[in-house]
Amino acid sequence: MKTDQELKRDVERELEWDPGIDASAIGVAVRDGAVILTGEVSTYLEKWRAVRAAERVQGVRAVADEIVVRLPGEYERTDADIARAVANALEWDPAVPTTVKATVKDGHVTLRGEVEWEYQREAAQRAVRHLMGVRGVTDLVVVRPKVTPIDVKQKIREALERQALLDAKSIDVESLNGTVVLKGHVHSRIEAEAAEKAAWSTPGVTKVENKLAVVPE
């Protein structure tokens, strides 16, 4: 088990290691394994990358994102400008179906609609998070597959066993009417997310409840 001081040091080093992050602009505090990120950055993408960097560190149990996106004056954009850029980004990405729509208010983008696959929902997020002027992204897109497999649970179990990163024996899978519940334990948040992604990538899954406990080695 790492101490809070050790976690703070490791998170700071992970932020410094990522070339897309200005680590000097981000404050890091740790309380009982939970990381609090503060500071100001100029793009939502940098804010997102900082959170992801903290989540990659082994031993981190949770991340509180208090980073503020504050654009330099010359880069300020109206909601109308951002909305046009968002619409173009979604249209130009071949992985994003036309069922995904977006609204913009005060620089915050809200994505809505239905898709058949989780990768399509992720593609929509990825398409807009790098756009200049975006301050935040709320994802309300629903994954609703048209085809439901006979045994969702078995397919997820097989997907987990194929991943070298995961100890499938420590993960329990429950499936009912398209909802999958993951229970058990993993050794990091990245492993928990890998298990969740494996579940989402299975046809017939409409909801994933990730109840995996993070138990550091």
Side-chain angles (χ1 to χ4, degrees):
M1 289 288 290
K2 296 180 182 179
T3 66
D4 284 353
Q5 191 58 35
E6 289 172 331
L7 281 177
K8 181 176 186 295
R9 178 201 61 205
D10 288 351
V11 171
E12 289 174 340
R13 287 178 177 175
E14 189 69 15
L15 291 172
E16 292 168 357
W17 178 80
D18 191 323
I21 300 171
D22 178 6
S24 65
I26 298 174
V28 179
V30 181
R31 298 171 190 165
D32 299 324
V35 175
I36 301 96
L37 300 177
T38 57
E40 294 185 1
V41 296
S42 58
T43 66
Y44 174 74
L45 179 59
E46 186 174 359
K47 169 187 170 85
W48 179 84
R49 292 183 68 148
V51 173
R52 294 292 296 162
E55 291 176 340
R56 285 196 298 267
V57 175
Q58 186 171 358
V60 170
R61 295 179 180 275
V63 177
D65 174 15
E66 298 181 5
I67 299 173
V68 176
V69 178
R70 200 177 302 282
L71 302 174
E74 64 269 28
Y75 293 111
E76 284 289 347
R77 303 179 75 184
T78 66
D79 283 349
D81 290 336
I82 298 171
R84 280 192 292 271
V86 167
N88 288 336
L90 294 175
E91 182 180 354
W92 294 338
D93 192 321
V96 181
T98 56
T99 52
V100 177
K101 308 298 181 183
T103 56
V104 181
K105 182 174 176 58
D106 298 328
H108 290 262
V109 179
T110 300
L111 299 172
R112 294 184 173 87
E114 292 186 1
V115 296
E116 293 185 47
W117 297 91
E118 171 66 8
Y119 82 86
Q120 295 171 319
R121 188 174 71 86
E122 292 180 351
Q125 293 180 33
R126 191 167 54 248
V128 302
R129 73 166 66 106
H130 71 281
L131 298 175
M132 183 61 69
V134 172
R135 298 178 183 274
V137 178
T138 299
D139 182 7
L140 301 180
V141 174
V142 176
V143 178
R144 204 180 304 280
K146 291 182 179 178
V147 180
T148 302
I150 297 174
D151 193 350
V152 172
K153 180 176 180 178
Q154 181 59 31
K155 289 185 179 294
I156 293 174
R157 173 60 57 190
E158 291 171 358
L160 294 175
E161 291 173 350
R162 286 195 297 270
Q163 296 201 29
L165 178 66
L166 297 170
D167 178 8
K169 295 178 182 177
S170 67
I171 300 174
D172 241 354
V173 180
E174 297 177 3
S175 176
L176 180 64
N177 298 329
T179 296
V180 171
V181 181
L182 300 177
K183 297 181 179 179
H185 69 273
V186 291
H187 300 306
S188 69
R189 285 183 58 83
I190 294 299
E191 290 182 26
E193 290 176 3
E196 183 173 332
K197 181 168 287 189
W200 270 120
S201 64
T202 303
V205 173
T206 58
K207 181 180 180 182
V208 176
E209 296 181 11
N210 192 340
K211 297 184 178 181
L212 292 170
V214 177
V215 182
E217 292 181 298

